[in-house]
Structure formats: C-alpha cells, structure tokens
Amino acid sequence: MSAQTIKGLTYPYPEPPGKGEWIEMARGVYWLQMALPMALDHINLYAIEDDDGWWVVDTGMKWGDTQERWKLLIEGPMAGKPLKGVVCTHMHPDHIGQAGWLCREYNAALYMSFGEYFTARALTQEDHAGADWRVIEHFTSAGVPFEQVQQMGRKFRGFGAIVEPMPGSYTRLTDGDSLAIGGRQWRVITGSGHSPEHVCLYSDEDKLILSGDQIIPRITSNVSVMPQEPEGNPLKRWLESLAYFIEQTHPDTLVMPAHNTPFYGIHTRLKALIDHHRGHLAAIEDACREPKSAVELFPVLFAREIGKDQLAIALGESIAHLHYLYAEGRLERQRDEQGVLRYRSVDPDHCPYAPADLTDEDVPMEV
C-alpha cells in the first residue's frame, strides 16, 4: 500500500510556505521550509514563539540560501525578540547543518539528546581519505565488488562539509523531559533506529508533535546498518520506537514532520510503518529459501533500480532487515569463499510476518 493512499491521513495545509514566509500551525507554532540538494528537495523547520524570545526546531543544511532564508525570518517576523534555543531532533546534516551558525550568530543555546550530539560531533570532524578494513568488509561482505568499494571512497568521509562547525556545548534532552515554551509544556519523546536517540517534542494538552524524521507521512525514513556499527540491529529499535509512539500520543494529534506536509492520523501512519517493515521481513524470508546476499535482495525490498548514489543507504536498509531476522533466529548465515555473507531462511513456510506489495515508498530516501 502506497503511503499516498493510506486512509485516515488528512493534510490541513497542503501548500508549503514560500521563501521567507511561514504558516502558523497552532498558536505560536510556525512552519517554514528550506531547500535541500537531493531528490528529497526540502526540509520542514519550525519556530515556536516564547514570551521573551523564539525557539527553532531543526536548522537546514549548510547549502544554498539557507542562511538567507533564516535571516529573512529572524530580521522580519521574528524581529523584536531574541533567538533563545535551537532544538535539533537528530544528527543528520539537514537537521544540524546551520545549528552552529544560528547558535553563534544569535547567542542561542543548543538542545539535543546525548546520542545525537556526540554522533554529530564525531561525524562532522571525521574526514578520512579512505576507509579502514572493517568499513571495507561491511560493503564487500554484503556483496559489493571490491573495485566498486574502492570507487566509493568519498562515501567514507564525514559530512563536515555540509554542516557548520557544531557548538562546543549543548543542553541534554532525554525521554520524558519537558520544555516550557510559549505557555505549553513540550514533552520529549525519543525514538531510535533512524538515528541513535531521535528527539520529538509533544504537547499533551494541545495534541501537537514536532516529529522530525521519526514520523513522516509519504515516505519511510531510512533505517540502516551503518559501517560505523556493522553488527547493529537498528530495525529492532525502530519497530519498538514506532510502537512506543502509539502508546505516548493521542490519535487526534497534529503531526508536524521534517518532510512532506503536516497531517492528522498519527496512529494510522505508525501502524502502516510497522506493517511496511513486517511486509519486507516476510518477503526476505521467502526470498532466502536459497542463500542470498544483502545486494541480491535489492529487488525484493525496493520498487526501483538502485543507482550508485543510493547504494550505501539501500545496502544499509537491506542489512538492517537481515540482521533483524538473524537476531530473531529466522535466518542463518554463512560466509562464502569470496567473503560474502549469505543468509538462508530457517522456516520460511511458517513466517510470522504478513507479506506486502512494493510501492514507490520502497525507494531509499536519505532522510
């Protein structure tokens, strides 16, 4: 089922704000957009008015006219009150790219979770010319030819080039914390799987959530095993997080995501995301009646052919599903003579997951 046709989702604001503009989503909560240089060509950011200043949630990438757009807002409709706080939901470059500039330029404090802040610091300072043996093994054991791995050298670098230098200090956010902004209590709810410790802000009283990449209406967030943690099981954490958000939110919540458009139908979407991945797990179990590598499972997981630019994230997502099934005892694996890990189903005729059809949603998106 395509995300675009999921019943139960409604979009109260189908048109996004223009350059230097915003849309008020609820009292004192404003939606704005910045451009991105990728297939997913935008990020939604949010400004929250406080009694004595402004807070912003996510910042955009160090690219294009992002700073110009911020200046138009800060010197325009936000003028008269200082920027007090910058909340970054997680460590990906489109979310933290301008955090350092905003915090330095306007003397604002940075708010992030521990896992996201220090992962961001590590990946923005990393600038290796190549990769160590474990990173190379991550790709070759998944079935990527060694010659192709050598050509992917730039993929092993950190992303400091598209992120302003990170602030040297931050205020830590943890699950259950509360921020008092603009007459509301915003409760911190954290998830994992897309990133280490993703922060969302939830208003219980007004049923509002600033969801970052944790809940997006029309695409699925990338859930990948990364070379930095080659034996990770992020899909397990992701599925647990989706169930946790169902428990922690009201079904009538207005979701303000980092991509696509704000919507109602949070529980419908969360359940659809769970079903989406369970369908992939079922498809992999069936495909692995004969041993398969992560690369060989691309046609099972993705509706379109994977290009070179999408190889790393597609591979990460394929491995994430394999690791989940392997940890559950649904798959066994062996390394062949070429060093490639191949996975075989243990009991494919008694799979506990329901199958699902591939859709346009099954294209890896770097969000």
Side-chain angles (χ1 to χ4, degrees), residues 2 16 44 56 92 180 204 252-253 260 278 307 333 342 358 364:
S2 171
N44 299 324
V56 298
H92 291 153
D204 290 275
D252 295 333
T253 294
N260 301 148
R278 288 175 66 87
R333 70 182 184 187
R342 298 190 179 277
L358 290 180

Side-chain angles (χ1 to χ4, degrees), residues 329-344:
R330 304 296 309 174
L331 297 179
E332 58 186 14
R333 70 182 184 187
Q334 279 192 324
R335 196 177 297 274
D336 67 16
E337 294 178 356
Q338 288 73 42
V340 177
L341 284 173
R342 298 190 179 277
Y343 294 78
R344 184 197 292 268

Side-chain angles (χ1 to χ4, degrees), residues 54-349:
W54 291 90
W55 293 64
V56 298
V57 178
D58 290 330
T59 71
M61 192 179 287
K62 180 187 174 183
W63 177 82
D65 64 354
T66 305
Q67 288 188 9
E68 178 189 350
R69 289 179 180 234
W70 272 121
K71 288 177 180 178
L72 286 172
L73 290 164
I74 291 172
E75 296 170 6
M78 294 171 68
K81 292 183 180 181
L83 182 62
K84 293 176 59 179
V86 175
V87 178
C88 289
T89 58
H90 63 296
M91 56 82 179
H92 291 153
D94 50 332
H95 298 261
I96 64 166
Q98 295 292 349
W101 173 75
L102 286 167
C103 291
R104 289 190 303 273
E105 188 78 7
Y106 299 100
N107 292 329
L110 175 66
Y111 290 75
M112 293 181 74
S113 67
F114 178 89
E116 301 295 338
Y117 176 75
F118 283 101
T119 303
R121 288 292 299 271
L123 291 177
T124 54
Q125 292 175 7
E126 184 181 74
D127 189 24
H128 302 308
D132 65 26
W133 69 270
R134 195 76 192 275
V135 173
I136 293 172
E137 184 185 64
H138 171 76
F139 289 97
T140 56
S141 66
V144 181
F146 180 72
E147 295 76 14
Q148 190 172 352
V149 176
Q150 289 181 309
Q151 296 170 6
M152 294 170 62
R154 64 183 182 85
K155 290 288 186 181
F156 306 133
R157 295 178 181 269
F159 46 68
I162 50 176
V163 171
E164 293 283 347
M166 289 289 291
S169 63
Y170 80 115
T171 299
R172 183 174 181 175
L173 297 176
T174 61
D175 191 77
D177 287 350
S178 185
L179 294 174
I181 309 173
R184 290 187 183 90
Q185 292 294 324
W186 294 93
R187 178 164 57 92
V188 175
I189 309 177
T190 60
S192 187
H194 176 62
S195 64
E197 195 180 0
H198 186 298
V199 165
C200 299
L201 298 182
Y202 184 67
S203 168
D204 290 275
E205 181 179 2
D206 291 336
K207 303 180 184 64
L208 307 170
I209 189 167
L210 296 158
S211 67
D213 285 355
Q214 189 71 36
I215 312 169
I216 302 174
R218 298 190 180 102
I219 54 176
T220 57
S221 298
N222 181 245
V223 180
S224 279
V225 172
M226 302 301 291
Q228 293 83 5
E229 190 185 355
E231 290 298 328
N233 190 358
L235 185 56
K236 180 178 187 294
R237 300 195 304 274
W238 177 250
L239 292 173
E240 289 171 348
S241 295
L242 297 177
Y244 181 60
F245 273 80
I246 293 174
E247 296 174 0
Q248 294 296 314
T249 59
H250 191 279
D252 295 333
T253 294
L254 173 62
V255 183
M256 292 173 277
H259 304 282
N260 301 148
T261 53
F263 70 99
Y264 288 101
I266 184 171
H267 289 184
T268 298
R269 181 56 179 152
L270 288 165
K271 291 172 183 176
L273 287 168
I274 293 170
D275 290 343
H276 170 85
H277 287 289
R278 288 175 66 87
H280 279 174
L281 294 170
I284 287 174
E285 279 212 49
D286 187 61
C288 287
R289 292 173 184 270
E290 296 297 326
K292 294 286 193 304
S293 70
V295 168
E296 290 169 338
L297 288 166
F298 282 180
V300 176
L301 289 174
F302 306 116
R304 303 177 192 172
E305 186 175 348
I306 300 301
K308 291 181 179 179
D309 290 343
Q310 294 179 320
L311 175 61
I313 57 173
L315 190 68
E317 185 129 358
S318 181
I319 298 171
H321 287 79
L322 289 168
H323 280 195
Y324 181 92
L325 290 167
Y326 180 68
E328 292 290 306
R330 304 296 309 174
L331 297 179
E332 58 186 14
R333 70 182 184 187
Q334 279 192 324
R335 196 177 297 274
D336 67 16
E337 294 178 356
Q338 288 73 42
V340 177
L341 284 173
R342 298 190 179 277
Y343 294 78
R344 184 197 292 268
S345 298
V346 172
D347 188 14
D349 292 325

